[in-house]
Amino acid sequence: MFWEKDIETCSRGRLEEMQLERLKKAVDYCYENVGFYKNKLDDAGIKGEHIKHLDDIEKIPFTTKEDFRDNYPYGLLARPMRDIVRIHATSGTTGKPTVAGYTKNDIDMWATVMARIVVMSGASNEDVAQIAFGYGLFTGALGLHYALEKIGAGILPMSSGNTEKQLMLMKDFGSTILVATPSYALYMGESARELGYTPEDFKLRIGLLGSEPCSEEARKKIEQLWGIDVYDNYGMCELIGPGVSGECLHKNGMHINEDHFLPELINPETKKRLKSGKGELVITAMTKEALPLLRYRTKDITELNYNECECGRTLARMSKITGRSDDMLKIKGVNVFPSQIESVLLSIPNIAPHYQIVLTTENYYDKIEIKVEFSDAGLLERYSDLEKLQELISYKLKSSIGIDIKVSLVAPKSLERFMGKAKRIEDLRKK
């Protein structure tokens, strides 16, 4: 059992004292070791000695993904390459990848914070964990791998793909934990049914899913499909990988490892701090050696809850990510998040958990179409039922989002399946 009680249940006062001390050190460490931060902090007139209270964090400039691109590949590293034992990076689908370096101490810290998360989700040394994340530069697989290994669980490092073999070995090896993206967990579950498996054929009991948003509706579908409990966790390559936060057995928000990651919420438009409500999550990585980050704008929209959890942990909890301030779609003057669309679709019967959002331009205005896969092939022969389903989806979307959205129903298994992060948006707008 991996349980750091002194940290995970400490008083808010003691935790804030620790955060203030670490924040001061992080500011000075960044100033002394990263040229980018020296220039930014000089411009702002800030050093560690100027941080008297946690609220003084507002004096510190933000760090953004653009800063990573401007300093690609190693310009934000605080340690020389001789101290770097691991390099990870994002996929770089929107340009150059975001690069993260790790010292030996960073790797140890990463395994520790992630071990907390897998244990609070019910994992133990009795488990066999099947990791169906892609290994490589992506942080997800090795982040979970080291944590589960640290608590003594058996590791089946399958990587993603080769689904039939995944399922065969899951059955034969008695895997009890599945580590995957939500979309691949859904795909594996569908494939299992097609191959004649039932949930009783497996010993699976926990899903540790991540790397992409998972709405409550998607979680329920995965849990029903597999007969397991699914737990969410949060992180990103820039911050550490997975390990910033994760759910306990009560599934009432993701506990943030606040002794290492100091969270704030801001209004993404005004950039002012918020005391309550939804906002953009900003994280300061206070204890990383290779890549310390001051006030990193994650662009993820969430809420923070500082009340003690039923599990006894006092660490702040963040709600599920409801969208991103940078992938928000503005259609007919209305802000639309893909997660809103998913929540509506997955609440409707006879809809498969597969959809695509297509954006186009017509007469100088943005248009949105949702391609939705229905699950009952018999509807192809019952046009009136198909029409009613399409009308229901359109009605529910308008009721939830406030605008008319074109809905196109497509046949079962006609939309692409994903073994990694699902690509739900096809942007065909004229730039």
Side-chain angles (χ1 to χ4, degrees):
M1 180 70 170
F2 188 89
W3 170 232
E4 294 193 314
K5 185 177 181 180
D6 287 349
I7 296 295
E8 297 182 62
T9 65
C10 75
S11 69
R12 175 57 44 185
R14 178 170 168 252
L15 182 59
E16 289 183 351
E17 286 177 8
M18 182 192 308
Q19 288 173 329
L20 181 58
E21 180 183 346
R22 289 184 172 184
L23 177 60
K24 290 177 179 179
K25 288 181 179 178
V27 170
D28 286 337
Y29 182 74
C30 288
Y31 184 88
E32 294 163 6
N33 294 284
V34 185
F36 162 81
Y37 276 126
K38 184 179 188 304
N39 294 334
K40 279 207 129 183
L41 292 168
D42 276 340
D43 289 344
I46 297 297
K47 290 185 180 179
E49 64 191 39
H50 299 121
I51 307 297
K52 306 295 185 183
H53 310 281
L54 283 178
D55 285 344
D56 289 337
I57 196 171
E58 289 186 277
K59 300 174 182 177
I60 301 171
F62 293 109
T63 308
T64 67
K65 182 161 280 191
E66 288 69 34
D67 294 326
F68 275 87
R69 292 177 182 142
D70 292 344
N71 291 277
Y72 173 88
Y74 301 139
L76 293 183
L77 295 187
R79 307 301 302 166
M81 288 305 294
R82 65 176 176 273
D83 293 340
I84 304 300
V85 300
R86 178 92 63 77
I87 297 170
H88 281 286
T90 62
S91 59
T93 53
T94 57
K96 293 283 189 180
T98 298
V99 178
Y102 301 74
T103 65
K104 176 66 167 60
N105 287 337
D106 289 335
I107 295 293
D108 291 343
M109 182 271 279
W110 188 13
T112 296
V113 294
M114 197 63 226
R116 291 179 191 170
I117 289 169
V118 299
V119 166
M120 73 174 70
S121 298
S124 75
N125 59 2
E126 300 288 336
D127 283 300
V128 175
Q130 184 159 331
I131 300 180
F133 273 147
Y135 280 73
L137 290 177
F138 170 58
T139 56
L142 286 170
L144 272 295
H145 183 129
Y146 272 57
L148 288 159
E149 203 166 65
K150 187 179 185 73
I151 70 166
I155 308 293
L156 186 56
M158 285 294 297
S159 194
S160 59
N162 203 348
T163 304
E164 286 195 29
K165 187 173 184 180
Q166 291 261 14
L167 295 168
M168 179 189 75
L169 295 186
M170 181 184 288
K171 179 177 181 292
D172 294 347
F173 290 5
S175 302
T176 56
I177 294 176
L178 173 62
V179 176
T181 62
S183 51
Y184 191 43
L186 282 166
Y187 178 68
M188 288 179 71
E190 288 180 339
S191 298
R193 285 189 175 182
E194 290 171 7
L195 292 168
Y197 292 109
T198 66
E200 291 71 30
D201 290 321
F202 304 100
K203 294 183 178 178
L204 210 61
R205 66 185 192 90
I206 294 174
L208 298 175
L209 307 185
S211 181
E212 65 186 15
C214 182
S215 66
E216 277 303 312
E217 292 78 11
R219 188 215 298 259
K220 288 173 185 174
K221 282 192 176 290
I222 296 168
E223 289 182 332
Q224 290 167 2
L225 195 60
W226 283 105
I228 62 176
D229 279 305
V230 167
Y231 297 94
D232 209 354
N233 61 78
Y234 175 83
M236 54 179 56
C237 180
E238 299 93 316
L239 296 174
I240 193 70
V244 174
S245 65
E247 287 182 315
C248 69
L249 298 176
H250 295 280
K251 301 181 187 177
N252 189 23
M254 292 177 278
H255 292 274
I256 301 172
N257 285 307
E258 288 188 89
D259 52 327
H260 296 282
F261 304 101
L262 181 58
E264 307 171 71
L265 289 182
I266 64 167
N267 180 314
E269 294 180 1
T270 66
K271 301 178 186 176
K272 298 296 184 183
R273 291 182 78 202
L274 300 173
K275 295 297 184 183
S276 61
K278 284 188 178 182
E280 179 186 328
L281 181 66
V282 174
I283 295 283
T284 296
M286 301 178 290
T287 60
K288 289 171 64 186
E289 291 183 338
L291 186 63
L293 286 181
L294 302 178
R295 303 194 79 196
Y296 184 68
R297 293 189 61 181
T298 69
K299 301 299 181 78
D300 288 325
I301 304 299
T302 186
E303 291 184 76
L304 296 179
N305 182 349
Y306 288 90
N307 296 325
E308 182 177 334
C309 180
E310 293 176 72
C311 71
R313 291 177 177 84
T314 53
L315 298 172
R317 286 166 285 156
M318 57 183 281
S319 64
K320 273 186 179 294
I321 302 302
T322 56
R324 286 180 56 81
S325 60
D326 61 351
D327 72 0
M328 178 181 70
L329 310 174
K330 192 144 191 150
I331 308 295
K332 299 179 183 178
V334 176
N335 296 337
V336 180
F337 288 106
S339 57
Q340 289 177 288
I341 294 171
E342 177 176 289
S343 292
V344 172
L345 296 179
L346 295 184
S347 70
I348 299 173
N350 296 319
I351 292 298
H354 306 286
Y355 62 93
Q356 186 175 43
I357 300 169
V358 182
L359 304 173
T360 55
T361 303
E362 185 177 310
N363 295 327
Y364 307 105
Y365 291 98
D366 288 343
K367 305 269 290 184
I368 182 170
E369 174 189 3
I370 313 295
K371 293 182 179 179
V372 184
E373 193 177 288
F374 54 90
S375 56
D376 181 3
L379 288 175
L380 290 169
E381 300 173 2
R382 304 194 306 274
Y383 182 77
S384 62
D385 289 345
L386 206 57
E387 196 172 47
K388 287 177 183 176
L389 180 59
Q390 187 175 27
E391 290 172 355
L392 175 64
I393 296 169
S394 298
Y395 170 77
K396 293 256 191 182
L397 285 170
K398 184 171 184 179
S399 298
S400 173
I401 297 170
I403 58 173
D404 288 311
I405 294 177
K406 180 181 178 182
V407 174
S408 299
L409 290 176
V410 299
K413 305 188 188 311
S414 59
L415 293 180
E416 184 179 358
R417 275 27 176 188
F418 299 94
M419 296 178 187
K421 284 188 179 182
K423 299 176 180 66
R424 303 291 193 196
I425 300 175
E426 184 178 8
D427 194 344
L428 304 176
R429 290 176 291 184
K430 296 172 184 175
K431 303 298 183 185

